[in-house]
Amino acid sequence: MTAVEQPTATWRPGPILGIETSCDETAASVLAEDGSVLSSIIASQHAVHRRFGGVVPELASRAHIESIEDVSSEALQQSGLSWTDLTGIAVTQGPGLAGALLVGVNYAKALAYVLNIPMVGVSHLDGHIASGWLQDPAFPLPCVVLIVSGGHTHLYYKEPSGHCRLLGATRDDAAGEAFDKGAQLLGLEYPGGPAIDRLARQGNPKAIVFPRSYLKNGCLDFSFSGLKTALLYKLQAIPEQSRAAQAADIAASYQEAIVDVLVHKSFAAIRVSGARALAVVGGVSANSRLRALLQQRAASEDLRLSLPPLAYCTDNAAMIAAAGRQALRAGLRASLDIDAHASMVSPFAQAI
Ligand code: KG4
Ligand code: ZN
């Protein structure tokens, strides 16, 4: 876009609209001036991608184009506000699927231009981090943050300033990927995380011992690719006709191996950093076994724990609006020529 008139540079505090289209959820949300969530609408594309066993980027972009207008209008309608009440727009700029991101970014630009209000591009990861504070904006800092999603498994130390330092990350698969690939091997439907979570409730998590990759002593990185291979070999060793009878035990044991490592490393990060609070966010934080183990351990160590309500664990726009609100308050603005960035790093969360 060349020389166009830019929307007003100063942000007048008030309601803002968040837009999220980084992967397979088209989402819009309105936050009130005080940051409370007035509406959060999510149009999931799971039905579109299910028969392919994963997200098909071209189909995702098309589905976003079809839904973005309706989802945004519904978010506004449910908020009880009108377009002209909005004072800012936050949109996921990356990381994610380039074509999918572009739909949200271009829609946000058009709205910001027409409404003459400022816009900010938000990192999807900053959005997930912000979801840990949606329910309780006073949740304490400093804090360890574990982001566990389909694309990321990152441990951060969030300083009292709000700045995040990377403590560890996966060296291969993300935790959500381990769930999705494991579910595929087990013949479960996409997305695999919720499917394993459901099936595991009927199984024994101690039935099979899957490997836990703790890496070097004290290391806060993760590795899940060996676990997936162990599952493949385990399944190959079971005669096909016996697999269904053992599926729940296998799912529960496989889930336990992922969850054990996530809990272990989160609490190791707590020890190393000295923080007394832990926020666990991202799609995998919806996992019922992970939530239960984190709650038990936090209670026994007298530690503050933030787990987003289930609706804000997986991708949503309330978290994007919340991160955008922080950015607007910090004086950030995007110009109308911003682009989507498939591998965007967070402006707030930087590696050390
Ligand atoms: O945060 P998210 O919605 O999207 C990304 O940013 O990737 O996370 C999606 C991931 C998928 O891998 C999905 O299988 C996983 O979160 N997930 C779960 C559960 N619900 C979603 N994994 C385990 N248990 C769940 N209940
Ligand atoms: Zn996400």
Side-chain angles (χ1 to χ4, degrees):
M1 197 181 288
T2 47
V4 289
E5 197 184 323
Q6 298 290 312
T8 170
T10 47
W11 181 53
R12 169 173 59 86
I16 67 168
L17 176 73
I19 293 171
E20 155 63 35
T21 63
S22 68
C23 190
D24 58 348
E25 257 99 26
T26 316
S29 165
V30 177
L31 295 195
E33 182 173 347
D34 66 359
S36 57
V37 182
L38 296 178
S39 64
S40 178
I41 307 296
I42 302 169
S44 165
Q45 302 174 6
H46 291 167
V48 174
H49 303 288
R50 187 158 283 144
R51 69 195 168 100
F52 302 101
V55 179
V56 182
E58 178 61 24
L59 296 183
S61 310
R62 287 172 195 221
H64 286 308
I65 291 170
E66 281 165 18
S67 316
I68 186 96
E69 177 69 44
D70 287 350
V71 166
S72 304
S73 301
E74 203 179 327
L76 202 74
Q77 199 181 5
Q78 272 200 19
S79 74
L81 302 177
S82 60
W83 292 107
T84 49
D85 293 322
L86 296 175
T87 64
I89 297 182
V91 62
T92 308
Q93 198 180 351
L97 302 170
L101 288 163
L102 275 172
V103 177
V105 167
N106 285 324
Y107 185 77
K109 284 183 193 178
L111 270 184
Y113 182 65
V114 169
L115 299 172
N116 193 31
I117 54 176
M119 168 180 83
V120 279
V122 170
S123 150
H124 186 76
L125 297 188
D126 283 336
H128 275 304
I129 294 173
S131 72
W133 278 259
L134 267 175
Q135 214 177 12
D136 177 9
F139 188 73
L141 292 175
C143 170
V144 167
V145 182
L146 172 69
I147 304 184
V148 265
S149 69
H152 296 89
T153 301
H154 282 39
L155 264 174
Y156 290 104
Y157 176 74
K158 191 169 161 80
E159 296 167 351
S161 67
H163 196 87
C164 289
R165 278 192 296 124
L166 187 66
L167 299 174
T170 183
R171 294 184 181 178
D172 40 57
D173 292 346
E177 220 175 334
F179 272 105
D180 293 337
K181 289 178 177 172
Q184 207 164 22
L185 292 172
L186 282 161
L188 302 175
E189 65 177 15
Y190 169 84
I196 290 191
D197 193 349
R198 277 193 300 275
L199 182 59
R201 284 175 208 168
Q202 299 144 41
N204 172 7
K206 295 200 169 93
I208 298 150
V209 181
F210 281 110
R212 273 87 165 139
S213 183
Y214 292 110
L215 303 170
K216 213 163 66 264
N217 202 9
C219 174
L220 295 176
D221 284 344
F222 300 85
S223 169
F224 292 108
S225 62
L227 175 61
K228 180 187 64 197
T229 312
L231 174 62
L232 176 66
Y233 289 154
K234 181 75 209 166
L235 288 171
Q236 283 171 348
I238 302 174
E240 191 130 11
Q241 63 275 21
S242 319
R243 280 188 203 162
Q246 293 185 47
D249 280 349
I250 299 172
S253 304
Y254 182 78
Q255 170 177 273
E256 198 73 0
I258 300 174
V259 163
D260 258 0
V261 175
L262 295 176
V263 174
H264 174 90
K265 299 263 174 178
S266 301
F267 283 83
I270 288 284
R271 271 195 310 282
V272 169
S273 68
R276 298 301 304 149
L278 169 67
V280 181
V281 299
V284 178
S285 68
N287 184 268
S288 58
R289 182 70 179 153
L290 176 63
R291 292 174 86 90
L293 290 182
L294 287 169
Q295 274 154 352
Q296 275 169 26
R297 181 90 182 255
S300 75
E301 298 197 14
D302 197 23
L303 191 90
R304 293 286 304 273
L305 174 68
S306 170
L307 286 168
L310 293 184
Y312 303 135
C313 292
T314 43
D315 289 349
N316 65 88
M319 67 183 198
I320 300 303
R325 187 167 169 273
Q326 286 166 18
L328 286 165
R329 284 169 63 150
L332 300 184
R333 310 280 179 275
S335 69
L336 286 184
D337 56 5
I338 61 162
D339 214 343
H341 291 296
S343 49
M344 179 180 184
V345 289
S346 155
F348 290 120
Q350 285 168 6
I352 44 168

